[in-house]
Amino acid sequence: MIVHQAYRFALDPTPAQARALSTHCGAARFAFNWGLALVKAVMDQREAEKSYGIAPADLTPPLRWSLPALRKVWNQVKDDVAPWWAECSKESYSSGLDSLARALNNWTTSRDGKRKGRAVRFPRFRSKRRARRSCRFTTGGVRVEADRRHINLPKLGRIRTHESTRKLARRLEAGTARVLSATVRLEGGRWHCSFTCEVQRADPPPAQPDVVIGVDLGITHLAVLSRPLSGVTNAVGAVPNPKHFARASAALRRKSRAVSRKHGPDSRTGARPSKRWERADQRRNRIHHRVANLRRDGLHKLTTALAAGFGTIVIENLNVAGMLSNRRLARSIADAGFAEIRRQLAYKTRWRGSRLVVADRWFPSSRTCSDCGAAKAKLPLHIRVFRCDSCGLEIDRDLNAARNLAALAVSSTTGTGGTGDLEPPCSNGRGADRKTRALCGQAAVKRPDRSADLPVGCPAGASRIRSCR
């Protein structure tokens, strides 16, 4: 299987190379701002001409927003707008224009209703101090050196890496990978280089290809599996939640107080921050980056174990954006990384040849008895033990939901996705246009404020955060 995969390495540039990297990122930011100013000028000119009653055929010709069109205009005027352009690689300016073309395309598709999610605003100019320092190289001498301790970038030359590049170098030497681009970025006070490669993967199939496992995500436990997994869960099947951000909150409070005592930037007066403020802010940002790295490492280990161990994995289609609107749980939900777990499972199941099934958002996994199938009308969130009124089963709420999800893949009675589906098949991409089936003989009633049929006992206008579970 041929996939696109990124390999990210930390760099150890010399002071001169660090300044050169910053210069290339600044050149990309300059090209972005120049192109955005040109686009706004053409748009404003056309609007002004329309207000004067000028015929459409006589208006100023529109400017195409594609990368080739913007790069063509840049090459015509670069000697006038940037006489110093030869100091940086041409890839830095192309990187900035490519970012602008993508931003304008996202705004256009969002405005036309062709893009899912929240509305995308029109691009804004990038500040010299607030913008992320990043630059991408697609052509030229982009390679990993044979000593596995250096990389080579156009105009920048050889740069030493902080870690060994053998993981990518072995694939390049074997001919199973091809470098497409390299992106340098400053994060947490350290430069990183990410190689986007076309990789030919031959991952082994899952250890238990015929086994189905349900995964119920939560806050008390990061995930509860329908069956225990050695080395990952406890005897019950629960994966402990490390709560990296909560553990680092005390250190973050101390660093934030130190930052607040320094003379920081002021957007109203244009005052620039002091050097002490910048150093204190860097120390605080290092904690944020460490938390992000720890969370990413833990989620990768969990999703890799699931994809390598089971042939079918069933998860829920959670409304994470809606759940984050709950101010009491937003921080814990963001710290758990529900969306990242689903994203990683989506591509890792494709690599392994396993199957990812996405349950419908309105599937009552927590309210349904995993033994007899009887469903409760409602089950408040604070009740953590499920007690069945029909068969008398008493079981942990999350474990009961995980077993129901596992049984869902076998019965296939409610909305499920296919192999590696990122979204369930529906018209709007959110699963909200489906109708919840009445369970255990309950009559379905039509609520005036929702088009879907809900079982009797579900409160009218129930929030998608709780999914009526």
Side-chain angles (χ1 to χ4, degrees):
M1 176 185 293
I2 298 179
V3 300
H4 284 183
Q5 185 176 350
Y7 292 84
R8 186 167 176 261
F9 305 103
L11 303 180
D12 277 338
T14 63
Q17 290 175 335
R19 290 192 296 270
L21 288 170
S22 296
T23 302
H24 278 70
C25 296
R29 180 187 58 83
F30 178 87
F32 180 94
N33 291 340
W34 169 85
L36 181 57
L38 179 62
V39 169
K40 289 175 64 69
V42 173
M43 293 178 62
D44 295 342
Q45 179 66 23
R46 288 176 60 85
E47 289 296 328
E49 292 174 353
K50 289 179 182 178
S51 64
Y52 299 152
I54 300 177
D58 299 332
L59 295 177
T60 299
L63 178 65
R64 296 184 59 190
W65 295 347
S66 64
L67 174 60
L70 292 173
R71 190 162 48 192
K72 182 178 180 180
V73 180
W74 165 260
N75 289 330
Q76 294 173 352
V77 302
K78 62 183 179 181
D79 291 328
D80 299 328
V81 300
W84 40 263
W85 66 268
E87 298 178 5
C88 300
S89 171
K90 65 181 180 63
E91 289 297 310
S92 59
Y93 310 106
S94 180
S95 175
L97 296 177
D98 180 61
S99 299
L100 176 61
R102 293 173 184 269
L104 291 171
N105 180 69
N106 292 339
W107 172 71
T108 304
T109 53
S110 177
R111 182 189 57 180
D112 297 340
K114 301 178 182 178
R115 180 184 175 88
K116 301 176 184 178
R118 298 180 179 178
V120 178
R121 296 187 300 180
F122 190 80
R124 295 182 295 179
F125 292 100
R126 293 182 175 178
S127 169
K128 180 179 180 180
R129 292 190 172 272
R130 290 195 301 268
R132 176 175 293 177
R133 300 183 187 181
S134 177
C135 179
R136 188 175 65 167
F137 301 86
T138 57
T139 61
V142 179
R143 64 178 180 271
V144 177
E145 298 293 347
D147 61 357
R148 301 180 180 180
R149 274 295 181 179
H150 293 82
I151 64 172
N152 190 86
L153 297 175
K155 202 76 176 184
L156 295 170
R158 284 166 53 96
I159 302 178
R160 182 173 175 82
T161 59
H162 183 72
E163 51 192 330
S164 175
T165 61
R166 61 180 179 272
K167 193 171 184 179
L168 175 58
R170 288 171 179 172
R171 286 190 172 274
L172 295 174
E173 294 171 0
T176 58
R178 182 171 65 93
V179 176
L180 302 178
S181 65
T183 302
V184 292
R185 178 177 297 178
L186 181 64
E187 289 185 0
R190 178 180 289 276
W191 287 98
H192 296 80
C193 183
S194 178
F195 290 92
T196 302
C197 306
E198 188 180 69
V199 181
Q200 184 176 1
R201 299 189 63 94
D203 295 87
Q208 305 178 66
D210 300 329
V211 177
V212 179
I213 187 169
V215 181
D216 183 76
L217 304 179
I219 298 176
T220 304
H221 301 287
L222 180 61
V224 177
L225 311 185
S226 58
R227 60 174 63 200
L229 180 58
S230 177
V232 178
T233 68
N234 55 17
V236 182
V239 180
N241 188 356
K243 299 181 180 180
H244 299 294
F245 186 82
R247 292 184 177 182
S249 59
L252 279 174
R253 282 194 295 269
R254 291 194 301 269
K255 300 301 181 182
S256 297
R257 283 196 297 266
V259 172
S260 65
R261 297 189 185 105
K262 308 298 188 295
H263 182 72
D266 192 340
S267 58
R268 296 171 298 179
T269 61
R272 298 174 62 177
S274 65
K275 294 297 183 181
R276 289 185 176 181
W277 184 93
E278 291 181 347
R279 289 194 293 268
D281 187 54
Q282 290 177 0
R283 288 191 289 268
R284 179 177 59 179
N285 290 339
R286 289 194 192 101
I287 299 178
H288 281 291
H289 284 284
R290 174 174 172 78
V291 169
N293 292 335
L294 289 173
R295 182 188 300 117
R296 187 183 302 111
D297 179 70
L299 296 185
H300 271 295
K301 291 178 179 177
L302 171 61
T303 54
T304 299
L306 290 174
F310 306 97
T312 302
I313 305 171
V314 189
I315 60 175
E316 291 181 291
N317 179 24
L318 297 175
N319 181 20
V320 179
M323 297 167 69
L324 291 176
S325 62
N326 186 336
R327 64 182 180 87
R328 297 178 181 272
L329 301 176
R331 179 177 297 178
S332 300
I333 293 172
D335 192 16
F338 293 160
E340 181 66 12
I341 292 176
R342 176 173 172 179
R343 187 191 70 86
Q344 293 182 12
L345 282 176
Y347 70 82
K348 289 183 180 181
T349 50
R350 286 195 292 264
W351 290 357
R352 295 278 182 172
S354 53
R355 181 165 163 254
L356 177 64
V357 179
V358 181
D360 187 273
R361 180 169 296 176
W362 307 111
F363 175 65
S365 58
S366 298
R367 295 188 291 110
T368 306
C369 178
S370 58
D371 191 9
C372 66
K376 289 180 176 291
K378 57 182 179 180
L379 185 65
L381 193 60
H382 68 274
I383 298 179
R384 307 310 305 171
V385 178
F386 179 87
R387 294 180 175 87
C388 182
D389 299 331
S390 300
C391 64
L393 174 68
E394 290 191 7
I395 187 175
D396 180 77
R397 173 197 183 109
D398 297 333
L399 181 59
N400 178 67
R403 292 181 178 180
N404 284 326
L405 290 173
L408 178 65
V410 179
S411 60
S412 300
T413 57
T414 298
T416 59
T419 304
D421 282 347
L422 286 174
E423 295 292 343
C426 58
S427 61
N428 57 20
R430 297 185 298 109
D433 59 347
R434 302 187 181 194
K435 295 184 178 182
T436 303
R437 293 169 172 81
L439 301 178
C440 300
Q442 294 179 345
V445 294
K446 180 71 72 174
R447 295 295 183 186
D449 56 342
R450 182 183 298 171
S451 60
D453 290 336
L454 300 177
V456 173
C458 184
S463 171
R464 290 195 300 269
I465 298 175
R466 295 183 294 120
S467 300
C468 304
R469 290 161 39 194

